Every structure is written in C-alpha cells, then in structure tokens.
Amino acid sequence: MSVDHWMTFGTFAEQRHFIYPRADTYQGVVINGNMAAYAPAGMASFLLEKTPSLPYIIDPQTHAFQHKASAIQNRQGNVKVSIQKLAQAYGNPIKDLAGVHPVLPRTFAADETLGPFVKRCLEFQRNILRNAMLESDVAKYLDVEETDIPPYALVVPYFYMSEVTVEQWLPVCKKSAEMAITFAPHEKVFGAVVLSEGALLRDGIRAEIVTAFADLSLAGVLLWVDDFDEHEASSKALKGLLDLSRGLRNNGQKEVLNLHGGYFSVLAAGALGGASMTGVAHGPEFGESRAVVPVGGGIPISRYYIPHLHARIRYRDALSLLAEKNWLRSADVFHSKVCGCAECRATLAGDSANFTLFGDSVFREVRRRHGIVRIEYPTNETKLRCLRHYLQRKALEYEFTSSATVEEQRQDLDEGIAEFGEVAGIEGVSHLHIWKDVLTGVERQL
Amino acid sequence: MSGQPNTKDKRYKRSEEELVHYIADFLRENAYHVRFEVPNMGQSTDIVATKGRWVTSIEVKTSDWKRAMKQCRAHEAVADYVCIGIGNGKVPIALLDEARRAGYGVLHCAPGTHQCRWALKPRLNKKLWMPQRRKWSETFGAIDHEC
C-alpha cells in the first residue's frame, strides 16, 4: 500500500533537497500560492531544472485574506508583496480588501461574486507556472511535453474553519467546490479542509464536513489542521484526524493529502491506519505541523531525528538518550542501533565521536540589560547534516510504511517504546503509545 | 537614609545575577577559576568553575530548583561535577534527595549573610562523554575566566 510522499516548498535555499536522498523520493511538491505569484520564473526553473517532472500542486492560500490585516502585512504595515501579487491575481473582492479588511463569509454570499473569484483562482493555478515554464530559457532545449506541465490538481479556494466559524465558512467552501468542478470539468480538482483542533475534536463538525464533501465529485482533498503536532496531540484529537480523513476518503474514492503531517499520518496512510489518507506532505524544516497564521521563528537549535522515536529532538537531549543507552561507544554500534543512513555514515566516518558534528554551533555575545548573554547558533553545516539525516529517515519511513505488514509497523512502535521507555521516561515515548492505540483501535479504560 | 536596599536584610530578595556572583566569590576563595554564561548545546551554564583538570558546572536558581535539575541533565555529558546553587532560606529536603540520587552537588548561599557552603558535595560524574567534553572545552576556553 503505497503512501505518497510530498514535500512543501519553503524557500529557494531548500530547493536542492527535493532530489534528496534520491531524485524520485517525492511524489510531488506543494507550492504556496504567494511564492508562485511572487517568483514564477524562479519556481518554473526549480520545476524544470532542479526537479525534472516532479508533479506540483499550488496551495491557493485563500485563507490569507480572512485573517486580520496585520497577518499579511510587513513591518512597515504594507501588504507583503507576494500576497499583494496573489490578491491581484484573484481580483475582487480580494484585491480591494487585502490588508484593509478581512474577507467574511458574507463577502461571498452572491454567486456573482464567488463564481468569478473561484474561476480566477483556478486560472491562476492552471497557468502561472505553466506559462513561466513555457517562457523559460531552458524551454527551448526541451520538448513541449516536458515544459507544458499543468498542476497535479487544481485546489478549490478555501477558508480556515474553527469550531465557531465552521457553520459560516463551510457553505462557502462547499459552494466554491461545486463551482470549481463545473469550471474545470476535465481537470483533477481537490477541495481543501483547513480547520482548528477544536473543530477536529467535535464529532458533529467532522460529520458535517464529511457530508458536505461526500457528494461532490472532487478527485481529492487537502487536509490541514492548524498547528497540529502529532507528538503532542491527545488520542482524542488523533482519532478525530483519522475519522475525518477516513470520511473524506469516501470509501477510498478520493485522495486525501495531509499538508503538514508526521509519522502518525504516514502510518494512517498505510496498512496500519487502513489507508485513511493517500499521502502526507512535510517541509524540509520544521514542517510536520504548521500554524495557519504564521508565527515567529525563535532561535534555531540543532535537532536530531531519533528514528526509533520518530521525533526530531534537541541535540543535547538526543546525546543524553544515546549516551545513556551506550550507543555512542562505537560507530558500528551507532549504525546498528541508531541510524545507518548515508548521512550518518558520512558524518561519523567510522568514529562515533563525530556525532558531535550534529550539534556543532558557534556562539555570539549579545549585550542585554543584565550584562552579556552568549547565544549559540548551529552552523550551516550542522543544520545541513541534521536536515539530510532527517530527509533520509523520512524517505525510509514512507518506504517502510508502504511495504511493511501491519504487524511489522506495530512492532516498530513497540521497539521504540521498549528501547527508549527507560531512558526517556514514560512521557518521552507516550506519543508512540498513543499512536499505536489510536491506529489499532485500542480504548484505554482509565 | 540612602534609599539603597539593605542586602544584609534576610528579607532582601536577591536576583539570580547577584546570587551567581556570591557563589562565584565563594568558588574563587576556594581556588577555582570561574566563567559565567558558558554555552552548552543550546543552553547557557550559569557558572563553569575549573580547578586543575576538573570542571564543575553550576546552575543557579533563586528558587526554582526543579528547573535547575532539568538543565543539569545536559551538563552530565560535559562536566566532571554537576551542581545546583540556590539561595532559599533553607535547603529543601526534596532537592537534597533528588540531587543525591543524581550525584549533583548543592551549593547554598544564605540570605542576609550571603555566606556559601556545600549543602551536598557532588560525586564524580560517570556519564561524561569525552568527545562532547572536548568540544565544550574549546567553547569555554574561548571565554576568559573572571578574577
């Protein structure tokens, strides 16, 4: 049972990772609409030159216009240029309201308003990168079919729904989907369900969403739960995700791609989760969960992905756990017990002492009110090592889930619990317990 | 009346920074070289005290010693001795129990007199991982110790 592995495009600096560890690792790339609007030539070059023939979906990011104006403004109080370009492509009512007033469900009450907006949104996705690819310098060296690449699917304009606003936004999303299907009868059309954890937790809301999407002839649905960290989520919330996703799959008739998911979602898409999703996307950096409204980054620290825990944890915590397990005593032990991926082998180069390279950093002195504070930053090489190891492991997780039996997948979770339960404490492995219970339908009595 | 707070008054609430300096004075009197705010794997160690080849890390807290216990975990990979410095009126029994179990030392700085003493001496840390220690030595070696 194959699980589609998608990656979300963040910045141009990350584009080299879309062919790592292999050129065919990813089924596709999710590109933010504002990025496509802002730098179509760069995105076209990425698709043609860096990732030949990688399918793509443009996330239209229509939700950006429903938040308060400051969410899309820069520090000077102007609408960010990329969002401005997106607004221009979408036309009115978005164009005039962007940065002035959020759009409301009633903004789209009239079909005469909603229809042209939906049409322009689809038109944007259909053509923005396709045209840029046809006009690119490399196009003349390629056959037409190599440059005329439409998106994998067109995405219906969507809006973020919380437990309070779902009643008002769901009809708009549904109507948009109905219109999109008629405007693009020969193309693959995906709906999008973007909601809060509060909405996800409510049985009635999930049922309402599933019902609304069930009778639409959509090819698939993009799913995004706001700021949803599978490692921290309760079993109730994960059950909700599974239930919603299964419902949207409509007995396997529709594709469901979780836009920001981790290993739980990968398992949900595999045999253990009964193919509740068809694919899962993540970003190269911090991309297994994402808030709908962007938040600040904070100080970057090195994180090492512990394969058994299926979690990216701070380098110092990883070191503490691995040292306690005595798995840093030699490179051979490390590779057999922790990770034998190409990046770890190259980094350790036969000497487990080189594990320190995953935590290498430099410090800068910053003057604060009470004196000098020294703040550490991982070096670029450290960030790259951690990232490449992470991407290696993610590729292995998708492959494992696509081919392993239910029993093997369950055993893998059990091994994580058994290996790290003692050193990480019950809390350190509780996400594995919860994932296993939710995916195998176990109900705890207390 | 000078308007200055009386730091000898037991009720005077010391800042963490003041506490760090009282404890550092005590360490210097005991022939340690002292460095402040030494980065360690994304954390900052309040005091790193060296004597000969031995390295002691000290997390200082005015009250929240449980947080210090957590922070000390990262020091186990790099320091020969791991300690917590506190400024409570009395040393909490629970802190002594937990520190004893972990092998950490406890330095107590009394309110009012600011006199410091070892409430619990640390045990030699056996969890040290030499490759990380070498990296850390390079880091704190780049920071001047304060006289």
Side-chain angles (χ1 to χ4, degrees):
Chain A
M1 187 175 293
S2 90
V3 180
D4 292 344
H5 190 173
W6 287 69
M7 194 138 83
T8 44
F9 188 94
T11 65
F12 280 101
E14 292 170 348
Q15 55 183 321
R16 61 193 152 145
H17 305 312
F18 283 79
I19 50 166
Y20 188 85
R22 293 185 319 273
D24 64 349
T25 296
Y26 307 99
Q27 265 72 40
V29 51
V30 181
I31 296 166
N32 281 340
N34 65 322
M35 193 65 114
Y38 181 67
M43 290 308 315
S45 153
F46 161 71
L47 290 169
L48 287 178
E49 296 172 57
K50 301 288 198 290
T51 60
S53 68
L54 188 64
Y56 67 95
I57 285 176
I58 298 178
D59 172 355
Q61 289 192 301
T62 39
H63 74 91
F65 304 100
Q66 77 181 104
H67 310 298
K68 58 184 179 185
S70 62
I72 53 171
Q73 288 169 338
N74 57 23
R75 281 186 198 152
Q76 288 74 42
N78 302 317
V79 176
K80 291 172 188 165
V81 179
S82 61
I83 299 286
Q84 189 71 57
K85 284 186 183 284
L86 197 60
Q88 277 161 4
Y90 293 162
N92 275 326
I94 298 278
K95 194 172 72 152
D96 287 347
L97 289 175
V100 180
H101 197 286
V103 294
L104 301 169
R106 67 166 182 268
T107 311
F108 301 103
D111 286 0
E112 298 74 37
T113 307
L114 185 61
F117 162 63
V118 172
K119 206 176 262 183
R120 283 190 293 269
C121 183
L122 298 181
E123 197 61 18
F124 167 77
Q125 296 172 59
R126 192 181 282 129
N127 292 326
I128 185 79
L129 296 185
R130 204 173 182 180
N131 290 344
M133 281 189 265
L134 288 167
E135 289 162 12
S136 75
D137 287 343
V138 290
K140 56 182 175 242
Y141 304 110
L142 300 168
D143 294 333
V144 174
E145 59 270 22
E146 287 176 297
T147 52
D148 187 15
I149 309 170
Y152 176 77
L154 299 176
V155 182
V156 177
Y158 65 87
F159 296 94
Y160 167 68
M161 301 178 287
S162 72
E163 57 198 309
V164 176
T165 63
V166 66
E167 243 179 289
Q168 296 169 75
W169 279 119
L170 187 57
V172 179
C173 292
K174 186 178 180 183
K175 187 79 186 166
S176 300
E178 286 167 350
M179 288 175 163
I181 291 162
T182 60
F183 295 151
H186 306 299
E187 290 157 289
K188 219 173 191 180
V189 177
F190 274 19
V193 173
V194 179
L195 74 170
S196 68
E197 191 173 334
L200 182 73
L201 284 166
R202 299 263 297 268
D203 298 353
I205 290 176
R206 290 196 309 270
E208 217 174 304
I209 293 171
V210 168
T211 306
F213 280 76
D215 54 357
L216 297 172
S217 54
L218 293 164
V221 178
L222 300 183
L223 183 57
W224 176 9
V225 184
D226 180 30
D227 209 9
F228 189 72
D229 183 346
E230 295 171 0
H231 298 84
E232 306 287 328
S234 65
S235 58
K236 191 169 183 209
L238 290 169
K239 272 182 204 160
L241 178 67
L242 215 51
D243 177 61
L244 176 62
S245 179
R246 277 178 187 152
L248 292 169
R249 286 273 282 138
N250 205 10
N251 296 317
Q253 290 179 52
K254 291 189 176 93
E255 294 177 47
V256 172
L257 173 63
N258 186 352
L259 275 182
H260 306 283
Y263 189 56
F264 172 83
S265 289
V266 177
L267 288 173
L272 189 58
S276 304
M277 299 172 190
T278 48
V280 185
H282 63 86
E285 282 287 343
F286 309 110
E288 293 188 2
S289 66
R290 184 163 181 171
V292 167
V293 176
V295 288
I299 298 165
I301 52 172
S302 304
R303 286 178 191 270
Y304 182 81
Y305 194 80
I306 302 269
H308 272 114
L309 291 176
H310 301 284
R312 194 154 40 168
I313 65 173
R314 286 181 295 218
Y315 168 74
R316 61 172 180 264
D317 296 332
L319 172 62
S320 168
L321 292 177
L322 301 180
E324 200 150 342
K325 292 294 292 182
N326 202 17
W327 286 347
L328 293 170
R329 64 183 186 273
S330 77
D332 285 344
V333 170
F334 182 92
H335 295 317
S336 74
K337 294 289 191 183
V338 185
C339 183
C341 81
E343 184 61 26
C344 285
R345 287 185 185 278
T347 301
L348 265 59
D351 183 356
S352 63
N354 287 328
F355 182 70
T356 57
L357 294 171
F358 286 108
D360 250 4
S361 56
V362 289
F363 68 85
R364 287 186 207 129
E365 296 189 339
V366 180
R367 189 166 287 283
R368 294 266 165 86
R369 198 157 53 94
H370 296 298
I372 288 183
V373 175
R374 297 184 179 93
I375 299 176
E376 255 181 317
Y377 298 89
T379 63
N380 287 338
E381 292 79 11
T382 302
K383 283 191 275 187
L384 189 60
R385 278 182 207 111
C386 289
L387 175 57
R388 287 163 69 101
H389 159 69
Y390 169 71
L391 294 178
Q392 290 262 357
R393 294 311 312 190
K394 291 311 287 184
L396 287 170
E397 284 180 354
Y398 281 75
E399 284 164 21
F400 172 74
T401 310
S402 296
S403 61
T405 63
V406 166
E407 194 44 42
E408 285 167 335
Q409 292 175 40
R410 208 170 10 214
Q411 264 173 18
D412 174 66
L413 295 175
D414 283 336
E415 270 173 37
I417 294 165
E419 291 288 10
F420 283 94
E422 256 177 58
V423 291
I426 301 171
E427 281 74 25
V429 294
S430 62
H431 63 285
L432 299 176
H433 277 292
I434 293 174
W435 293 358
K436 188 181 145 196
D437 287 356
V438 170
L439 290 164
T440 55
V442 172
E443 295 285 344
R444 289 192 180 260
Q445 294 307 308
L446 287 175
Chain B
M1 296 287 279
S2 67
Q4 293 291 316
N6 178 9
T7 60
K8 299 284 183 198
D9 187 336
K10 277 190 176 180
R11 289 166 299 177
Y12 171 71
K13 197 166 166 30
R14 293 169 297 184
S15 68
E16 201 167 287
E17 199 194 5
E18 286 173 293
L19 204 52
V20 163
H21 284 279
Y22 289 125
I23 291 173
D25 287 344
F26 169 78
L27 291 164
R28 281 193 206 97
E29 285 162 16
N30 286 277
Y32 284 89
H33 289 298
V34 173
R35 293 173 172 88
F36 300 126
E37 292 286 342
V38 177
N40 175 28
M41 297 184 279
Q43 270 184 199
S44 191
T45 313
D46 292 323
I47 302 173
V48 172
T50 51
K51 193 192 257 189
R53 68 187 181 90
W54 304 107
V55 182
T56 303
S57 74
I58 300 142
E59 275 304 327
V60 178
K61 288 279 175 280
T62 50
S63 55
D64 185 7
W65 59 267
K66 286 189 177 163
R67 191 168 137 71
M69 288 292 298
K70 280 186 192 158
Q71 288 173 310
C72 283
R73 188 123 197 247
H75 304 330
E76 291 178 2
V78 292
D80 297 301
Y81 297 98
V82 180
C83 300
I84 291 170
I86 56 156
N88 303 39
K90 280 184 182 170
V91 183
I93 301 289
L95 164 62
L96 288 173
D97 286 346
E98 282 199 34
R100 193 174 288 117
R101 261 197 299 275
Y104 301 163
V106 176
L107 262 168
H108 180 236
C109 181
T113 64
H114 312 303
Q115 280 193 334
C116 298
R117 67 176 181 95
W118 287 105
L120 180 67
K121 290 223 170 175
R123 287 199 304 267
L124 184 64
N125 169 30
K126 299 275 175 61
K127 292 180 178 172
L128 188 94
W129 192 54
M130 275 318 285
Q132 194 62 43
R133 160 64 165 269
R134 279 193 285 273
K135 287 267 175 192
W136 196 51
S137 299
E138 287 169 23
T139 303
F140 72 72
I143 298 168
D144 290 335
H145 59 79
E146 313 214 0
C147 302

